[in-house]
Amino acid sequence: MTVAAPTVRVLIVDDDLETCRLIAELIAAPGREVQLAQTAEDAFERARRERFDLVISDINLNGPETGLDVLKAFKSANPAGEGLLISGF
């Protein structure tokens, strides 16, 4: 009997859809589920509804909230999850 490895769930947050897609393509692997969010609000809602093992967020989301806000909300909803902030600047 083979036991399947658990799925690693990743949320990528960036206001640029092409950047989200590029990161998703770069980290794609068997056993890894990747979801995308283009706004902090969408990321907040997903963090409340679902569990993610990792959030990768741009620091500058071109809105009132930043990647730091996303990271704080994510860690509040899932203290064991990991976060990675990125920037194009």
Side-chain angles (χ1 to χ4, degrees):
M1 176 179 189
T2 304
V3 177
T7 300
V8 175
R9 301 189 74 233
V10 181
L11 178 62
I12 300 170
V13 186
D14 197 304
D15 58 305
D16 181 66
L17 182 58
E18 289 307 312
T19 300
C20 284
R21 289 179 177 161
L22 174 64
I23 295 169
E25 185 178 316
L26 290 171
I27 67 169
R32 191 172 294 155
E33 178 187 332
V34 178
Q35 293 190 29
L36 311 178
Q38 286 186 262
T39 65
E41 294 82 13
D42 187 18
F44 296 155
E45 179 61 29
R46 289 173 187 257
R48 283 190 290 270
R49 286 191 334 247
E50 305 174 54
R51 183 194 61 78
F52 292 95
D53 301 295
L54 172 65
V55 64
I56 300 171
S57 179
D58 188 5
I59 293 173
N60 181 5
L61 296 172
N62 289 322
E65 291 90 5
T66 68
L68 288 172
D69 298 314
V70 169
L71 182 60
K72 288 176 190 174
F74 173 74
K75 291 298 281 182
S76 175
N78 182 13
E82 297 292 332
L84 175 66
L85 295 176
I86 60 173
S87 176
F89 295 99

